[in-house]
Amino acid sequence: MHVVFKAEIKNLKSGLRSPKGFTICQAILKRYAKYFHIKIEQQAVCRDHIHLLIRVQRRSLAQHFFRVVAGQIAQKFEYEKLNVTDTLSIWRHRPFTRVVKGLRAWVTARDYVKLNEFEATGRIRYSPERLRGLSSAEWELLTGLRRRAAPG
């Protein structure tokens, strides 16, 4: 399953990717994934959203995981004074979820989460046309493949 938690950036002082915010998000995701028996295949914590590629055993566990993670991150951000306003929610929307069926769809989702992680860390520069086609060097970095020179 591909999951996206989208935050309202104007309600946060420095975003989800700040050192303290990143640590909070990582700890909460790890803790509650274990508690609800969710396997996190990949994750990308970006400035204003979190991407997850997860495996779930039961739909009800996934729903509880989404609810608890969103609430715990919001409460911890409020406790650590990382909110700008006293608003009750830092989230822009309910989490986006999509069931990923088949190998091709899984590879596409995996590459998309990797791309977001690389953009968040600064390895690849964000561009609006990024999904239309990456350069060969960017795809090489994304997939981690090294082309070997053919013996001559």
Side-chain angles (χ1 to χ4, degrees):
M1 183 177 283
H2 180 207
V3 182
V4 181
F5 291 93
K6 182 79 171 154
E8 187 68 60
I9 197 68
K10 69 180 182 184
N11 292 342
L12 299 173
K13 286 185 180 173
S14 55
L16 299 171
R17 191 70 192 192
S18 67
K20 195 177 245 186
F22 183 75
T23 304
I24 290 170
C25 292
Q26 292 281 77
I28 289 172
L29 288 170
K30 183 178 179 182
R31 178 179 179 187
Y32 289 105
K34 185 176 181 180
Y35 184 82
F36 289 110
H37 306 286
I38 305 286
K39 182 178 180 195
I40 299 177
E41 301 259 334
Q42 276 189 310
Q43 67 182 23
V45 179
C46 302
R47 183 171 174 258
D48 64 345
H49 61 283
I50 300 171
H51 283 275
L52 298 173
L53 193 57
I54 62 173
R55 288 186 189 262
V56 297
Q57 294 176 354
R58 291 188 3 226
R59 180 179 172 190
S60 61
L61 290 176
Q63 291 171 333
H64 293 307
F65 174 74
F66 303 148
R67 178 179 44 83
V68 170
V69 165
Q72 288 295 309
I73 289 174
Q75 285 180 354
K76 193 70 170 174
F77 268 63
E78 183 179 339
Y79 178 77
E80 296 289 336
K81 306 283 191 253
L82 297 174
N83 291 17
V84 172
T85 63
D86 291 332
T87 184
L88 296 176
S89 178
I90 64 169
W91 303 111
R92 180 178 246 174
H93 305 289
R94 290 183 180 187
F96 164 82
T97 59
R98 183 175 68 95
V99 175
V100 179
K101 283 185 158 184
L103 181 63
R104 186 174 180 184
W106 184 83
V107 168
T108 302
R110 181 199 65 192
D111 289 347
Y112 183 70
V113 173
K114 268 189 196 178
L115 178 65
N116 272 272
E117 180 64 25
F118 287 167
E119 287 172 351
T121 58
R123 291 190 208 168
I124 295 177
R125 203 170 130 241
Y126 173 81
S127 70
E129 293 83 24
R130 74 191 195 284
L131 298 179
R132 292 190 188 142
L134 297 174
S135 69
S136 59
E138 289 172 331
W139 272 114
E140 210 171 288
L141 178 64
L142 184 63
T143 58
L145 299 176
R146 298 281 182 199
R147 294 185 183 191
R148 295 182 184 166

